[in-house]
Amino acid sequence: MSLTSRLRVILRSKSNRALTRMEDPREALDDSYEQQVRMLQQVRQGLAEVATAKKRIELQGQDMGGRYQRLADQAQEALNQGREDLARTALERRSLLEGQVAGIREQYLALAQQQAQLQDNERRLAERIAAFRTEKETMKATYAASEARVKANEAAAGLGSEMTDAGAGLDRARDRVAQMQARAAATDELLSSGALNDATAPPDADLERQLSAGATKADVDRQLHALKEARAAAGDRTPGTHARGGSDGWLSIGETPTTP
């Protein structure tokens, strides 16, 4: 073999190896998995930011709730001392504060809803990524086994680095056939298990979402019924009822008319 022919064979062999690396499905699977992991990290970062904003508003609301209660006490004390002007001032400030609390309460509830949605999205995405990772590793192992078998067959057939153009094309065709056979076997398993529609989704995810929606509606109906009963009972209260105590009592401010 002449020097020119030898160089042509070496360059062709290197180009074939580079093309094989470009067509390697294992790298594509790993890239897809890394992209999903980065997406999960972004969702978790957003969840942390929403939770932080919600907590900040909650603390602000608790401070305003404490001031709301103090103004009621000050108005009562002013009346006890015969200072109706001071009592009126305290009540005016208390009324203004009630409107401010109503505004931040809306923000708080909106953030709470966003946090719940992000938590649900994070859970479902984590489950999908875990399922994808399992499938990815299975496919990579199948591909590696097929690749090893192809190399063993090539060695047994005496194929070397000086293969002809026809031999190089045949070897690449064998690799692709082995890959497609592995993929066909994998899809056969997915068809048998009934997971072909979405191989990365958890089983019965649609039923879980519907049941969760039904449970949420039932809980909302129960809370609405409790609020109606509480409102009916509140009609018998005497003046001087204050906002509900506790760290989250500020959430009830402004929901029903109150007097100091």
Side-chain angles (χ1 to χ4, degrees), residues 108-140:
Y108 177 86
L109 296 177
L111 288 174
Q113 183 178 6
Q114 292 180 18
Q115 182 178 352
Q117 292 176 348
L118 284 174
Q119 287 175 340
D120 184 62
N121 291 338
E122 187 274 341
R123 177 186 58 79
R124 288 187 294 174
L125 183 58
E127 291 175 352
R128 293 172 66 91
I129 291 177
F132 180 84
R133 182 178 183 276
T134 300
E135 184 67 18
K136 172 180 72 74
E137 294 301 327
T138 301
M139 295 183 66
K140 287 175 61 177

Side-chain angles (χ1 to χ4, degrees), residues 70-81:
R70 286 193 302 272
L71 286 171
D73 296 337
Q74 289 173 351
Q76 185 64 52
E77 179 63 22
L79 286 178
N80 294 339
Q81 296 180 10

